[in-house]
Amino acid sequence: MATTSTNRIFSLDMIRGVAVMGIFSVNVIAFAMIEAAYFNPPAYGGWHGADLGLWATNMLVIDGKMRTLFSMLFGASTLLVIERAEAAGLSGPKVHIRRMLVLLCFGLIHYYLIWFGDILTLYATSGLIAFLFRRLPVYRLVALGSAFLLGSMMLFSGFIFTQYQADIAAHAPGATQAAIREWNDGLGNFFPTAAEIAKDRALHLGSWLEFVRHNLAHWTEQIGQTLVFMPETIGLMLLGMAGYKSGFLTGDWADADYTRIASIAIPIGLAAGAAIIAYDVLANFYIIGVFVAFIILATPFITIMAFGYAALIILLSRRHGWIAQRIAAAGRCAFTNYLGTSLIATFIFYGWGLGYYGSLSRWQAWLLVPLVWAVMLAWSKPWLEHFEYGPLEWAWRSLSRGQLQAMRRKRSRTLPA
């Protein structure tokens, strides 16, 4: 965020802090082992006992919900930054566009030099489009955001239908090599062969320069990954703008309203999540069904549950207690914390660090998560007691404004209580 400590909105920081911490709980699997293991536990990393329990817990409580919160917060923050830029006599559109272009540069660096799971590029490009609808009233933002989500679900439905056809063709008696290749190039790659797993491990356990060369050689994958998820991300950003304009995300509603939303939305999301988990296990993680359930059918329930989470977090943040202040500080430094987790995780798992990639089970890899959470909570608040921004927040703001911003805090200022 591009605001100083004197005019923060505590509820936004608190929600953002929870989201950035929660995202790492699921991302750690994508750092620790082959990409297919994220959606298909039988592909790698274990899917029985503690490994299955961890996957199910993440799926039920975290997966999708934290990214949804993060995306909605990005939309809300877009309006907040524009408002404060214009209040300072600056051009809101120019400030926003510069911020997105700088964020895009950070995202491309993150993707090609550090980790394939970057979301900054997606947020920068989606943010440029969501910005066009910033003046719409709340009800139109909700309607348009919902339409974008529905459009995303329809696009994925079309893709998965083609994959279903490819699955049937590839496994039919006398299947052609072309049919088999089409399936293996699509969702069939979620069932990697031993040779493919070995190749993936060699890439991530090799030198950093080879890793970068590989990413640059496959540069179009980043474009495709961004375009695929843009409709959903834009929709969530618009819902976040509606949440900001209505006062929902800023904590302006009555406690009774937040209590009612949390008590309804969270159980609905948990019930849907439990049904998806049961289906995936009973279907032996049939990848077509997994994608239909999580990418398409679960989308409205994940969104509903995220709003329930937001309501619950706002209620818990009312007293600004010790842990709430720590989490809010982590949210104020979310950009630094997000990229920081990539640096920590790649050092732990990749070949230019400790090299644990592909050698741990799912639950063993997850043991890094509470340690990283502790680091986020430990450093963010003390840092902000001396500085206006997190390190990368400062860099983002300075590059966006075209000049170095004041970093050290004035002694008279204190963190919001």
Side-chain angles (χ1 to χ4, degrees):
M1 288 290 297
T3 56
T4 64
S5 58
T6 56
N7 56 5
R8 304 295 306 189
I9 297 178
F10 191 83
S11 62
L12 296 182
D13 290 334
M14 181 81 170
I15 297 170
R16 190 180 296 105
V18 172
V20 75
M21 293 173 67
I23 284 172
F24 187 64
S25 181
V26 291
N27 279 356
V28 68
I29 303 303
F31 282 110
M33 56 193 71
I34 62 174
E35 182 180 357
Y38 186 96
F39 277 112
N40 183 25
Y44 205 85
W47 61 295
H48 297 93
D51 294 314
L52 180 62
L54 175 63
W55 169 83
T57 301
N58 266 334
M59 177 66 73
L60 183 66
V61 180
I62 294 176
D63 209 342
K65 294 83 173 173
M66 299 298 122
R67 179 175 53 82
T68 297
L69 280 176
F70 218 55
S71 301
M72 292 194 302
L73 263 292
F74 196 93
S77 298
T78 294
L79 295 184
L80 184 61
V81 169
I82 291 172
E83 285 179 1
R84 289 176 173 172
E86 292 177 344
L90 302 174
S91 168
K94 288 183 178 179
V95 168
H96 175 73
I97 291 172
R98 286 197 299 265
R99 290 181 79 246
M100 295 303 99
L101 293 177
V102 172
L103 184 64
L104 178 61
C105 292
F106 275 110
L108 294 174
I109 291 170
H110 184 217
Y111 179 85
Y112 291 110
L113 304 187
I114 303 175
W115 186 51
F116 77 92
D118 170 70
I119 60 171
L120 303 179
T121 302
L122 174 62
Y123 278 15
T125 51
S126 299
L128 287 171
I129 297 175
F131 162 80
L132 300 175
F133 307 105
R134 69 193 184 280
R135 299 190 188 279
L136 293 179
V138 170
Y139 75 95
R140 288 190 177 178
L141 286 170
V142 172
L144 187 58
S146 300
F148 269 102
L149 292 183
L150 180 60
S152 175
M153 294 166 63
M154 294 175 65
L155 287 173
F156 275 112
S157 295
F159 167 73
I160 294 175
F161 179 70
T162 64
Q163 292 300 296
Y164 173 71
Q165 293 178 313
D167 183 17
I168 293 176
H171 294 92
T176 65
Q177 288 299 312
I180 295 173
R181 184 167 52 253
E182 181 181 356
W183 168 243
N184 288 334
D185 289 342
L187 292 185
N189 64 23
F190 282 85
F191 301 92
T193 64
E196 290 169 337
I197 291 173
K199 182 179 179 181
D200 180 83
R201 290 197 67 197
L203 172 65
H204 290 89
L205 293 175
S207 72
W208 177 73
L209 287 177
E210 283 299 321
F211 175 80
V212 172
R213 275 196 286 266
H214 173 273
N215 290 343
L216 292 174
H218 297 80
W219 62 273
T220 57
E221 293 181 7
Q222 168 68 330
I223 298 175
Q225 179 176 302
T226 299
L227 292 175
V228 163
F229 289 100
M230 277 184 68
E232 179 190 52
T233 305
I234 293 169
L236 293 173
M237 288 181 180
L238 296 182
L239 293 180
M241 289 182 179
Y244 175 79
K245 285 190 173 185
S246 68
F248 172 75
L249 290 175
T250 55
D252 294 339
W253 291 18
D255 284 1
D257 294 326
Y258 289 116
T259 301
R260 182 166 53 254
I261 291 171
S263 63
I264 295 173
I266 294 176
I268 289 176
L270 290 174
I276 289 172
I277 292 168
Y279 167 78
D280 287 348
V281 173
L282 292 174
N284 291 317
F285 293 94
Y286 173 50
I287 200 63
I288 297 292
V290 168
F291 267 68
V292 168
F294 185 72
I295 301 296
I296 301 174
L297 299 181
T299 295
F301 299 102
I302 287 174
T303 306
I304 290 170
M305 191 170 179
F307 273 102
Y309 274 169
L312 179 60
I313 294 166
I314 290 170
L315 285 173
L316 295 176
S317 70
R318 289 301 202 197
R319 295 186 180 182
H320 293 200
W322 178 84
I323 188 63
Q325 294 227 15
R326 290 275 172 173
I327 293 173
R332 286 184 58 189
C333 297
F335 188 32
T336 301
N337 279 319
Y338 171 71
L339 290 178
T341 60
S342 293
L343 295 175
I344 293 172
T346 52
F347 173 76
I348 296 295
F349 296 113
Y350 288 6
W352 48 92
L354 301 182
Y356 281 102
Y357 186 86
S359 63
L360 302 177
S361 71
R362 190 174 297 270
W363 75 265
Q364 289 171 332
W366 191 86
L367 294 177
L368 179 63
V369 173
L371 298 178
V372 170
W373 286 351
V375 170
M376 289 185 187
L377 297 177
W379 84 270
S380 300
K381 188 172 183 294
W383 176 276
L384 292 173
E385 289 171 352
H386 296 89
F387 301 99
E388 292 284 359
Y389 317 100
L392 291 182
E393 283 76 9
W394 172 81
W396 185 13
R397 181 181 174 91
S398 295
L399 290 170
S400 299
R401 297 296 176 92
Q403 61 181 13
L404 296 178
Q405 301 295 295
M407 181 66 160
R408 187 168 291 278
R409 288 169 53 82
K410 295 180 180 180
R411 296 192 175 210
S412 59
R413 290 184 180 177
T414 59
L415 286 176

PDB file of all heavy atoms in Angstrom, residues 288-319:
ATOM      1  N   ILE A 288      -9.847 -34.867 -14.102  1.00  0.00           N
ATOM      2  CA  ILE A 288     -10.937 -34.116 -14.712  1.00  0.00           C
ATOM      3  C   ILE A 288     -11.934 -33.696 -13.631  1.00  0.00           C
ATOM      4  O   ILE A 288     -12.357 -32.534 -13.553  1.00  0.00           O
ATOM      5  CB  ILE A 288     -11.653 -34.958 -15.785  1.00  0.00           C
ATOM      6  CG1 ILE A 288     -10.700 -35.311 -16.930  1.00  0.00           C
ATOM      7  CG2 ILE A 288     -12.879 -34.198 -16.310  1.00  0.00           C
ATOM      8  CD1 ILE A 288     -10.279 -34.154 -17.772  1.00  0.00           C
ATOM      9  N   GLY A 289     -12.301 -34.638 -12.776  1.00  0.00           N
ATOM     10  CA  GLY A 289     -13.233 -34.333 -11.693  1.00  0.00           C
ATOM     11  C   GLY A 289     -12.665 -33.346 -10.704  1.00  0.00           C
ATOM     12  O   GLY A 289     -13.373 -32.466 -10.201  1.00  0.00           O
ATOM     13  N   VAL A 290     -11.368 -33.468 -10.405  1.00  0.00           N
ATOM     14  CA  VAL A 290     -10.711 -32.540  -9.480  1.00  0.00           C
ATOM     15  C   VAL A 290     -10.819 -31.111  -9.996  1.00  0.00           C
ATOM     16  O   VAL A 290     -11.153 -30.181  -9.254  1.00  0.00           O
ATOM     17  CB  VAL A 290      -9.231 -32.931  -9.278  1.00  0.00           C
ATOM     18  CG1 VAL A 290      -8.469 -31.826  -8.564  1.00  0.00           C
ATOM     19  CG2 VAL A 290      -9.124 -34.226  -8.485  1.00  0.00           C
ATOM     20  N   PHE A 291     -10.562 -30.926 -11.281  1.00  0.00           N
ATOM     21  CA  PHE A 291     -10.613 -29.582 -11.848  1.00  0.00           C
ATOM     22  C   PHE A 291     -12.042 -29.062 -11.926  1.00  0.00           C
ATOM     23  O   PHE A 291     -12.289 -27.877 -11.671  1.00  0.00           O
ATOM     24  CB  PHE A 291      -9.949 -29.572 -13.231  1.00  0.00           C
ATOM     25  CG  PHE A 291      -8.499 -29.199 -13.186  1.00  0.00           C
ATOM     26  CD1 PHE A 291      -7.575 -30.040 -12.601  1.00  0.00           C
ATOM     27  CD2 PHE A 291      -8.054 -28.003 -13.706  1.00  0.00           C
ATOM     28  CE1 PHE A 291      -6.234 -29.709 -12.539  1.00  0.00           C
ATOM     29  CE2 PHE A 291      -6.717 -27.642 -13.655  1.00  0.00           C
ATOM     30  CZ  PHE A 291      -5.800 -28.504 -13.062  1.00  0.00           C
ATOM     31  N   VAL A 292     -12.965 -29.910 -12.303  1.00  0.00           N
ATOM     32  CA  VAL A 292     -14.370 -29.485 -12.343  1.00  0.00           C
ATOM     33  C   VAL A 292     -14.816 -29.037 -10.957  1.00  0.00           C
ATOM     34  O   VAL A 292     -15.460 -27.982 -10.801  1.00  0.00           O
ATOM     35  CB  VAL A 292     -15.273 -30.626 -12.857  1.00  0.00           C
ATOM     36  CG1 VAL A 292     -16.749 -30.291 -12.620  1.00  0.00           C
ATOM     37  CG2 VAL A 292     -15.033 -30.875 -14.334  1.00  0.00           C
ATOM     38  N   ALA A 293     -14.467 -29.827  -9.940  1.00  0.00           N
ATOM     39  CA  ALA A 293     -14.915 -29.531  -8.580  1.00  0.00           C
ATOM     40  C   ALA A 293     -14.286 -28.257  -8.039  1.00  0.00           C
ATOM     41  O   ALA A 293     -14.982 -27.377  -7.522  1.00  0.00           O
ATOM     42  CB  ALA A 293     -14.607 -30.717  -7.663  1.00  0.00           C
ATOM     43  N   PHE A 294     -12.959 -28.127  -8.159  1.00  0.00           N
ATOM     44  CA  PHE A 294     -12.272 -27.017  -7.496  1.00  0.00           C
ATOM     45  C   PHE A 294     -12.244 -25.741  -8.335  1.00  0.00           C
ATOM     46  O   PHE A 294     -12.444 -24.639  -7.812  1.00  0.00           O
ATOM     47  CB  PHE A 294     -10.837 -27.421  -7.141  1.00  0.00           C
ATOM     48  CG  PHE A 294     -10.110 -26.369  -6.350  1.00  0.00           C
ATOM     49  CD1 PHE A 294     -10.445 -26.126  -5.024  1.00  0.00           C
ATOM     50  CD2 PHE A 294      -9.104 -25.616  -6.922  1.00  0.00           C
ATOM     51  CE1 PHE A 294      -9.779 -25.151  -4.294  1.00  0.00           C
ATOM     52  CE2 PHE A 294      -8.436 -24.645  -6.199  1.00  0.00           C
ATOM     53  CZ  PHE A 294      -8.776 -24.410  -4.879  1.00  0.00           C
ATOM     54  N   ILE A 295     -11.997 -25.870  -9.630  1.00  0.00           N
ATOM     55  CA  ILE A 295     -11.842 -24.689 -10.479  1.00  0.00           C
ATOM     56  C   ILE A 295     -13.188 -24.102 -10.897  1.00  0.00           C
ATOM     57  O   ILE A 295     -13.316 -22.898 -11.105  1.00  0.00           O
ATOM     58  CB  ILE A 295     -11.004 -25.024 -11.727  1.00  0.00           C
ATOM     59  CG1 ILE A 295      -9.617 -25.540 -11.317  1.00  0.00           C
ATOM     60  CG2 ILE A 295     -10.854 -23.811 -12.627  1.00  0.00           C
ATOM     61  CD1 ILE A 295      -8.774 -24.518 -10.596  1.00  0.00           C
ATOM     62  N   ILE A 296     -14.202 -24.958 -11.013  1.00  0.00           N
ATOM     63  CA  ILE A 296     -15.495 -24.473 -11.512  1.00  0.00           C
ATOM     64  C   ILE A 296     -16.551 -24.456 -10.406  1.00  0.00           C
ATOM     65  O   ILE A 296     -17.003 -23.393  -9.976  1.00  0.00           O
ATOM     66  CB  ILE A 296     -15.972 -25.342 -12.694  1.00  0.00           C
ATOM     67  CG1 ILE A 296     -14.942 -25.295 -13.825  1.00  0.00           C
ATOM     68  CG2 ILE A 296     -17.325 -24.847 -13.201  1.00  0.00           C
ATOM     69  CD1 ILE A 296     -15.245 -26.221 -14.966  1.00  0.00           C
ATOM     70  N   LEU A 297     -16.948 -25.620  -9.934  1.00  0.00           N
ATOM     71  CA  LEU A 297     -18.061 -25.704  -8.989  1.00  0.00           C
ATOM     72  C   LEU A 297     -17.774 -24.995  -7.672  1.00  0.00           C
ATOM     73  O   LEU A 297     -18.689 -24.429  -7.057  1.00  0.00           O
ATOM     74  CB  LEU A 297     -18.410 -27.174  -8.731  1.00  0.00           C
ATOM     75  CG  LEU A 297     -18.851 -27.996  -9.950  1.00  0.00           C
ATOM     76  CD1 LEU A 297     -19.179 -29.421  -9.536  1.00  0.00           C
ATOM     77  CD2 LEU A 297     -20.056 -27.344 -10.624  1.00  0.00           C
ATOM     78  N   ALA A 298     -16.535 -25.014  -7.229  1.00  0.00           N
ATOM     79  CA  ALA A 298     -16.211 -24.432  -5.922  1.00  0.00           C
ATOM     80  C   ALA A 298     -16.094 -22.917  -5.947  1.00  0.00           C
ATOM     81  O   ALA A 298     -16.107 -22.278  -4.886  1.00  0.00           O
ATOM     82  CB  ALA A 298     -14.908 -25.035  -5.382  1.00  0.00           C
ATOM     83  N   THR A 299     -15.969 -22.311  -7.134  1.00  0.00           N
ATOM     84  CA  THR A 299     -15.703 -20.874  -7.220  1.00  0.00           C
ATOM     85  C   THR A 299     -16.692 -20.017  -6.430  1.00  0.00           C
ATOM     86  O   THR A 299     -16.274 -19.164  -5.628  1.00  0.00           O
ATOM     87  CB  THR A 299     -15.662 -20.426  -8.690  1.00  0.00           C
ATOM     88  OG1 THR A 299     -14.544 -21.046  -9.338  1.00  0.00           O
ATOM     89  CG2 THR A 299     -15.522 -18.913  -8.795  1.00  0.00           C
ATOM     90  N   PRO A 300     -17.998 -20.168  -6.599  1.00  0.00           N
ATOM     91  CA  PRO A 300     -18.910 -19.317  -5.820  1.00  0.00           C
ATOM     92  C   PRO A 300     -18.819 -19.577  -4.318  1.00  0.00           C
ATOM     93  O   PRO A 300     -18.940 -18.640  -3.518  1.00  0.00           O
ATOM     94  CB  PRO A 300     -20.296 -19.682  -6.367  1.00  0.00           C
ATOM     95  CG  PRO A 300     -20.130 -21.002  -7.023  1.00  0.00           C
ATOM     96  CD  PRO A 300     -18.737 -21.030  -7.541  1.00  0.00           C
ATOM     97  N   PHE A 301     -18.571 -20.830  -3.931  1.00  0.00           N
ATOM     98  CA  PHE A 301     -18.497 -21.152  -2.507  1.00  0.00           C
ATOM     99  C   PHE A 301     -17.205 -20.627  -1.884  1.00  0.00           C
ATOM    100  O   PHE A 301     -17.198 -20.177  -0.735  1.00  0.00           O
ATOM    101  CB  PHE A 301     -18.610 -22.664  -2.310  1.00  0.00           C
ATOM    102  CG  PHE A 301     -19.910 -23.231  -2.804  1.00  0.00           C
ATOM    103  CD1 PHE A 301     -19.975 -23.903  -4.018  1.00  0.00           C
ATOM    104  CD2 PHE A 301     -21.078 -23.063  -2.075  1.00  0.00           C
ATOM    105  CE1 PHE A 301     -21.177 -24.422  -4.485  1.00  0.00           C
ATOM    106  CE2 PHE A 301     -22.286 -23.571  -2.531  1.00  0.00           C
ATOM    107  CZ  PHE A 301     -22.336 -24.243  -3.741  1.00  0.00           C
ATOM    108  N   ILE A 302     -16.117 -20.669  -2.643  1.00  0.00           N
ATOM    109  CA  ILE A 302     -14.859 -20.088  -2.168  1.00  0.00           C
ATOM    110  C   ILE A 302     -15.027 -18.583  -1.972  1.00  0.00           C
ATOM    111  O   ILE A 302     -14.559 -18.006  -0.979  1.00  0.00           O
ATOM    112  CB  ILE A 302     -13.721 -20.394  -3.158  1.00  0.00           C
ATOM    113  CG1 ILE A 302     -13.328 -21.873  -3.071  1.00  0.00           C
ATOM    114  CG2 ILE A 302     -12.510 -19.500  -2.888  1.00  0.00           C
ATOM    115  CD1 ILE A 302     -12.310 -22.294  -4.117  1.00  0.00           C
ATOM    116  N   THR A 303     -15.704 -17.936  -2.915  1.00  0.00           N
ATOM    117  CA  THR A 303     -15.908 -16.486  -2.811  1.00  0.00           C
ATOM    118  C   THR A 303     -16.776 -16.142  -1.607  1.00  0.00           C
ATOM    119  O   THR A 303     -16.472 -15.206  -0.849  1.00  0.00           O
ATOM    120  CB  THR A 303     -16.565 -15.964  -4.103  1.00  0.00           C
ATOM    121  OG1 THR A 303     -15.786 -16.366  -5.236  1.00  0.00           O
ATOM    122  CG2 THR A 303     -16.661 -14.444  -4.077  1.00  0.00           C
ATOM    123  N   ILE A 304     -17.840 -16.899  -1.424  1.00  0.00           N
ATOM    124  CA  ILE A 304     -18.712 -16.680  -0.262  1.00  0.00           C
ATOM    125  C   ILE A 304     -17.930 -16.878   1.030  1.00  0.00           C
ATOM    126  O   ILE A 304     -18.030 -16.069   1.969  1.00  0.00           O
ATOM    127  CB  ILE A 304     -19.917 -17.641  -0.318  1.00  0.00           C
ATOM    128  CG1 ILE A 304     -20.863 -17.235  -1.447  1.00  0.00           C
ATOM    129  CG2 ILE A 304     -20.668 -17.664   1.015  1.00  0.00           C
ATOM    130  CD1 ILE A 304     -21.947 -18.264  -1.733  1.00  0.00           C
ATOM    131  N   MET A 305     -17.129 -17.940   1.098  1.00  0.00           N
ATOM    132  CA  MET A 305     -16.372 -18.217   2.312  1.00  0.00           C
ATOM    133  C   MET A 305     -15.339 -17.126   2.585  1.00  0.00           C
ATOM    134  O   MET A 305     -15.080 -16.773   3.740  1.00  0.00           O
ATOM    135  CB  MET A 305     -15.687 -19.568   2.193  1.00  0.00           C
ATOM    136  CG  MET A 305     -15.086 -20.079   3.502  1.00  0.00           C
ATOM    137  SD  MET A 305     -14.556 -21.801   3.344  1.00  0.00           S
ATOM    138  CE  MET A 305     -13.890 -22.095   4.988  1.00  0.00           C
ATOM    139  N   ALA A 306     -14.747 -16.573   1.511  1.00  0.00           N
ATOM    140  CA  ALA A 306     -13.780 -15.489   1.687  1.00  0.00           C
ATOM    141  C   ALA A 306     -14.432 -14.266   2.314  1.00  0.00           C
ATOM    142  O   ALA A 306     -13.842 -13.606   3.186  1.00  0.00           O
ATOM    143  CB  ALA A 306     -13.150 -15.124   0.342  1.00  0.00           C
ATOM    144  N   PHE A 307     -15.662 -13.957   1.897  1.00  0.00           N
ATOM    145  CA  PHE A 307     -16.372 -12.844   2.534  1.00  0.00           C
ATOM    146  C   PHE A 307     -16.661 -13.163   4.003  1.00  0.00           C
ATOM    147  O   PHE A 307     -16.609 -12.277   4.859  1.00  0.00           O
ATOM    148  CB  PHE A 307     -17.671 -12.556   1.779  1.00  0.00           C
ATOM    149  CG  PHE A 307     -17.509 -11.618   0.625  1.00  0.00           C
ATOM    150  CD1 PHE A 307     -17.473 -12.078  -0.682  1.00  0.00           C
ATOM    151  CD2 PHE A 307     -17.381 -10.254   0.841  1.00  0.00           C
ATOM    152  CE1 PHE A 307     -17.317 -11.214  -1.752  1.00  0.00           C
ATOM    153  CE2 PHE A 307     -17.231  -9.366  -0.210  1.00  0.00           C
ATOM    154  CZ  PHE A 307     -17.194  -9.858  -1.519  1.00  0.00           C
ATOM    155  N   GLY A 308     -16.972 -14.424   4.274  1.00  0.00           N
ATOM    156  CA  GLY A 308     -17.160 -14.822   5.669  1.00  0.00           C
ATOM    157  C   GLY A 308     -15.892 -14.666   6.481  1.00  0.00           C
ATOM    158  O   GLY A 308     -15.925 -14.185   7.622  1.00  0.00           O
ATOM    159  N   TYR A 309     -14.769 -15.061   5.901  1.00  0.00           N
ATOM    160  CA  TYR A 309     -13.478 -14.878   6.568  1.00  0.00           C
ATOM    161  C   TYR A 309     -13.207 -13.392   6.838  1.00  0.00           C
ATOM    162  O   TYR A 309     -12.740 -13.013   7.915  1.00  0.00           O
ATOM    163  CB  TYR A 309     -12.354 -15.443   5.715  1.00  0.00           C
ATOM    164  CG  TYR A 309     -12.093 -16.925   5.891  1.00  0.00           C
ATOM    165  CD1 TYR A 309     -11.261 -17.601   5.010  1.00  0.00           C
ATOM    166  CD2 TYR A 309     -12.658 -17.650   6.938  1.00  0.00           C
ATOM    167  CE1 TYR A 309     -11.002 -18.959   5.163  1.00  0.00           C
ATOM    168  CE2 TYR A 309     -12.408 -18.999   7.095  1.00  0.00           C
ATOM    169  CZ  TYR A 309     -11.576 -19.653   6.205  1.00  0.00           C
ATOM    170  OH  TYR A 309     -11.312 -20.984   6.366  1.00  0.00           O
ATOM    171  N   ALA A 310     -13.472 -12.568   5.808  1.00  0.00           N
ATOM    172  CA  ALA A 310     -13.235 -11.132   5.975  1.00  0.00           C
ATOM    173  C   ALA A 310     -14.050 -10.584   7.142  1.00  0.00           C
ATOM    174  O   ALA A 310     -13.550  -9.807   7.969  1.00  0.00           O
ATOM    175  CB  ALA A 310     -13.578 -10.386   4.689  1.00  0.00           C
ATOM    176  N   ALA A 311     -15.319 -11.002   7.219  1.00  0.00           N
ATOM    177  CA  ALA A 311     -16.181 -10.540   8.316  1.00  0.00           C
ATOM    178  C   ALA A 311     -15.634 -10.997   9.664  1.00  0.00           C
ATOM    179  O   ALA A 311     -15.592 -10.224  10.639  1.00  0.00           O
ATOM    180  CB  ALA A 311     -17.598 -11.076   8.112  1.00  0.00           C
ATOM    181  N   LEU A 312     -15.195 -12.254   9.744  1.00  0.00           N
ATOM    182  CA  LEU A 312     -14.660 -12.780  11.003  1.00  0.00           C
ATOM    183  C   LEU A 312     -13.371 -12.063  11.398  1.00  0.00           C
ATOM    184  O   LEU A 312     -13.181 -11.711  12.574  1.00  0.00           O
ATOM    185  CB  LEU A 312     -14.399 -14.278  10.854  1.00  0.00           C
ATOM    186  CG  LEU A 312     -13.810 -14.986  12.077  1.00  0.00           C
ATOM    187  CD1 LEU A 312     -14.735 -14.858  13.279  1.00  0.00           C
ATOM    188  CD2 LEU A 312     -13.524 -16.455  11.760  1.00  0.00           C
ATOM    189  N   ILE A 313     -12.493 -11.827  10.435  1.00  0.00           N
ATOM    190  CA  ILE A 313     -11.227 -11.143  10.723  1.00  0.00           C
ATOM    191  C   ILE A 313     -11.484  -9.733  11.224  1.00  0.00           C
ATOM    192  O   ILE A 313     -10.827  -9.252  12.166  1.00  0.00           O
ATOM    193  CB  ILE A 313     -10.332 -11.128   9.473  1.00  0.00           C
ATOM    194  CG1 ILE A 313      -9.899 -12.551   9.119  1.00  0.00           C
ATOM    195  CG2 ILE A 313      -9.101 -10.252   9.697  1.00  0.00           C
ATOM    196  CD1 ILE A 313      -9.291 -12.682   7.734  1.00  0.00           C
ATOM    197  N   ILE A 314     -12.448  -9.041  10.607  1.00  0.00           N
ATOM    198  CA  ILE A 314     -12.773  -7.676  11.054  1.00  0.00           C
ATOM    199  C   ILE A 314     -13.274  -7.694  12.495  1.00  0.00           C
ATOM    200  O   ILE A 314     -12.899  -6.848  13.314  1.00  0.00           O
ATOM    201  CB  ILE A 314     -13.806  -7.043  10.104  1.00  0.00           C
ATOM    202  CG1 ILE A 314     -13.155  -6.762   8.750  1.00  0.00           C
ATOM    203  CG2 ILE A 314     -14.375  -5.753  10.700  1.00  0.00           C
ATOM    204  CD1 ILE A 314     -14.126  -6.358   7.660  1.00  0.00           C
ATOM    205  N   LEU A 315     -14.118  -8.662  12.826  1.00  0.00           N
ATOM    206  CA  LEU A 315     -14.601  -8.773  14.206  1.00  0.00           C
ATOM    207  C   LEU A 315     -13.455  -9.016  15.171  1.00  0.00           C
ATOM    208  O   LEU A 315     -13.388  -8.396  16.252  1.00  0.00           O
ATOM    209  CB  LEU A 315     -15.611  -9.931  14.307  1.00  0.00           C
ATOM    210  CG  LEU A 315     -17.007  -9.681  13.735  1.00  0.00           C
ATOM    211  CD1 LEU A 315     -17.812 -10.970  13.774  1.00  0.00           C
ATOM    212  CD2 LEU A 315     -17.728  -8.582  14.514  1.00  0.00           C
ATOM    213  N   LEU A 316     -12.530  -9.891  14.790  1.00  0.00           N
ATOM    214  CA  LEU A 316     -11.407 -10.217  15.668  1.00  0.00           C
ATOM    215  C   LEU A 316     -10.413  -9.065  15.791  1.00  0.00           C
ATOM    216  O   LEU A 316      -9.627  -9.025  16.742  1.00  0.00           O
ATOM    217  CB  LEU A 316     -10.686 -11.464  15.150  1.00  0.00           C
ATOM    218  CG  LEU A 316     -11.507 -12.766  15.173  1.00  0.00           C
ATOM    219  CD1 LEU A 316     -10.711 -13.905  14.543  1.00  0.00           C
ATOM    220  CD2 LEU A 316     -11.901 -13.131  16.607  1.00  0.00           C
ATOM    221  N   SER A 317     -10.460  -8.143  14.837  1.00  0.00           N
ATOM    222  CA  SER A 317      -9.499  -7.033  14.850  1.00  0.00           C
ATOM    223  C   SER A 317     -10.014  -5.817  15.610  1.00  0.00           C
ATOM    224  O   SER A 317      -9.288  -4.830  15.756  1.00  0.00           O
ATOM    225  CB  SER A 317      -9.169  -6.618  13.413  1.00  0.00           C
ATOM    226  OG  SER A 317     -10.279  -5.981  12.793  1.00  0.00           O
ATOM    227  N   ARG A 318     -11.239  -5.874  16.105  1.00  0.00           N
ATOM    228  CA  ARG A 318     -11.845  -4.684  16.706  1.00  0.00           C
ATOM    229  C   ARG A 318     -11.011  -4.103  17.860  1.00  0.00           C
ATOM    230  O   ARG A 318     -10.891  -2.892  18.005  1.00  0.00           O
ATOM    231  CB  ARG A 318     -13.245  -5.017  17.223  1.00  0.00           C
ATOM    232  CG  ARG A 318     -14.299  -5.264  16.147  1.00  0.00           C
ATOM    233  CD  ARG A 318     -14.493  -4.087  15.238  1.00  0.00           C
ATOM    234  NE  ARG A 318     -15.796  -4.109  14.573  1.00  0.00           N
ATOM    235  CZ  ARG A 318     -16.108  -3.401  13.510  1.00  0.00           C
ATOM    236  NH1 ARG A 318     -15.190  -2.612  12.956  1.00  0.00           N
ATOM    237  NH2 ARG A 318     -17.311  -3.470  12.974  1.00  0.00           N
ATOM    238  N   ARG A 319     -10.448  -4.987  18.690  1.00  0.00           N
ATOM    239  CA  ARG A 319      -9.725  -4.492  19.863  1.00  0.00           C
ATOM    240  C   ARG A 319      -8.257  -4.196  19.583  1.00  0.00           C
ATOM    241  O   ARG A 319      -7.539  -3.733  20.473  1.00  0.00           O
ATOM    242  CB  ARG A 319      -9.841  -5.510  20.994  1.00  0.00           C
ATOM    243  CG  ARG A 319     -11.273  -5.681  21.512  1.00  0.00           C
ATOM    244  CD  ARG A 319     -11.311  -6.596  22.716  1.00  0.00           C
ATOM    245  NE  ARG A 319     -12.673  -6.754  23.217  1.00  0.00           N
ATOM    246  CZ  ARG A 319     -12.991  -7.465  24.288  1.00  0.00           C
ATOM    247  NH1 ARG A 319     -12.044  -8.101  24.971  1.00  0.00           N
ATOM    248  NH2 ARG A 319     -14.255  -7.556  24.670  1.00  0.00           N
TER     249      ARG A 319
END
